[in-house]
Amino acid sequence: MAKWIPKHEAPEPLEGPIVPTIIGGTILWLVLFVVQLPFYGWYEEHGHTWWVWTCLAGGGLGFIGIYYVRRRDAAINRDAAQQAEAGEAGGAGGAGGAGGTETGDGAEVGEAEAGEADTAEAGDVEEARPATN
């Protein structure tokens, strides 16, 4: 059986307003919990109390999600600021960044990668392999 090889690269992940989305979902779960509380007796009589507790669990997990996505957003913003700062510092010196070597297509190769490319022998060339998911 032949190995499946992708014909095109995977699309970039969708980035949207993640924090407001998670906050909205958490609020929705908590509102559903509060709305169902007056009917707890009916749910208990019919064996559906899990509906109430599912809403509470959704709200609780939503708080964990809010904590997670806010930290993720802060880390992404912090990394972007550091990259911009490093780009400004590297651009001012004209050396092309943090000790890397710029390739012909504008991409930068780190020192370790550039050194490995310089020391590679003709017999050590590896066959290019397609990316797998």
Side-chain angles (χ1 to χ4, degrees), residues 72-88:
R72 178 182 178 270
D73 249 9
I76 289 171
N77 292 338
R78 187 171 47 249
D79 184 55
Q82 288 174 351
Q83 292 292 332
E85 185 177 299
E88 289 174 5

Side-chain angles (χ1 to χ4, degrees), residues 57-116:
L61 290 172
F63 283 124
I64 294 171
I66 291 169
Y67 172 76
Y68 175 80
V69 297
R70 289 187 66 193
R71 289 200 50 189
R72 178 182 178 270
D73 249 9
I76 289 171
N77 292 338
R78 187 171 47 249
D79 184 55
Q82 288 174 351
Q83 292 292 332
E85 185 177 299
E88 289 174 5
T101 304
E102 191 170 320
T103 61
D105 61 354
E108 190 170 309
V109 178
E111 287 181 34
E113 294 171 344
E116 291 170 5

Side-chain angles (χ1 to χ4, degrees), residues 7 9-10 18 21 26 28 32-33 49 58 65 82 85 94 96 113 118 130:
K7 295 183 178 166
E9 290 186 31
I18 297 170
T21 301
T26 303
L28 181 66
L32 288 171
F33 172 72
T49 55
Q82 288 174 351
E85 185 177 299
E113 294 171 344
D118 293 338

Side-chain angles (χ1 to χ4, degrees), residues 13-65:
L14 295 175
E15 289 291 335
I18 297 170
V19 176
T21 301
I22 300 300
I23 290 172
T26 303
I27 290 171
L28 181 66
W29 279 115
L30 293 173
V31 166
L32 288 171
F33 172 72
V34 171
V35 166
Q36 289 180 354
L37 275 180
F39 305 104
Y40 187 82
W42 183 88
Y43 287 118
E44 192 172 35
E45 289 173 9
H46 293 89
H48 296 301
T49 55
W50 64 272
W51 288 12
V52 177
W53 302 119
T54 299
C55 293
L56 183 62
L61 290 172
F63 283 124
I64 294 171

